[in-house]
Amino acid sequence: MSIPTTVGVNAPRLTVFLGPSLPVEQAREHLPGAEFLPPVERGDIDALMARADPPTHIGIVDGKFLQSFSISPKEILKAMDRGVRMYGSSSMGALRAAELDVFGMTGIGTVYDMYASGEIEDDDEVAITFDSEVMRLICEPMVNIRVATAEAVRREIVEPKYADLFLETAKALYFPQRTRAAALHEVKGRMPEEQRMALASFLRSPEAPDAKGEDAARLLDVMRRAAEDVPPPADSRGAA
């Protein structure tokens, strides 16, 4: 079912800040009719709220860290005070949702759950560098490595003690240079080669979970269902 498109005071207007976590082409399949903007930075939500018809629902997946000021909780709260429904997942969205869920921001997905529970705390768990022209990752988010490795342990592909060694090694890498391949290279000679190669094979396979991408898709699905639940404008309802 697509989002209602009737123009009126109650017609939903959905905007999502999305970057390398999920290709926009895939995102449109989950949330047709939404406006997709590049990763959010300071001032972007204020600019949306200055429009004549600001969004009714805003989703934050990706955001900028280094090249500009990151979006502030205050800016999100101002939009929420005006009745905007705010959603966060995957990356910057998960970080801000974990901070603001007590104020009504909806956090979605594995990464949000990990921040909200205190399992992870550091910003570098989701930080990445990417080619902004084509939204291509240059490094890999630690949280994706962490979730995929946990799945490898669950499937008994790698022993927990060697998974811990691999994760400690990946975490120690400066995030712009952090990749699974780099971490696997660093543990060579420090864990049994059979274990290392089995883990490497799983992490390269389609079966390895993509936490940030999967969470982004879940956010879009939640926003679609929320928009479908918005009642139609009064002037479009049938007379009783």
Side-chain angles (χ1 to χ4, degrees), residues 28 136 160:
R28 290 197 176 105
R136 180 180 60 84

Side-chain angles (χ1 to χ4, degrees), residues 72-124:
S72 69
K74 182 177 179 181
E75 194 169 333
I76 295 170
L77 287 171
K78 284 195 298 181
M80 291 170 63
D81 286 343
R82 291 181 56 182
V84 177
R85 299 187 191 182
M86 298 291 308
Y87 304 83
S89 77
S90 304
S91 191
M92 176 64 75
L95 276 167
R96 290 294 177 261
E99 296 169 337
L100 302 176
D101 53 6
V102 295
F103 300 103
M105 185 172 182
T106 301
I108 298 158
T110 299
V111 181
Y112 159 74
D113 288 341
M114 292 170 76
Y115 274 116
S117 69
E119 181 179 348
I120 58 174
E121 297 179 350
D122 300 334
D123 289 358
D124 85 308

Side-chain angles (χ1 to χ4, degrees), residues 10 16 29 43 45 64 75 80-81 87-88 96 121 129 142 147-148 150 155 160 169-170 178 199 205 219 223 237 240:
N10 291 327
V16 180
E29 295 176 4
I45 292 179
K64 296 181 180 178
E75 194 169 333
M80 291 170 63
D81 286 343
Y87 304 83
R96 290 294 177 261
E121 297 179 350
T129 53
M142 183 66 207
V147 171
R155 297 187 184 203
T169 302
R178 184 181 290 142
L199 178 59
S205 76
L219 175 143
M223 290 183 68
R237 297 173 187 165

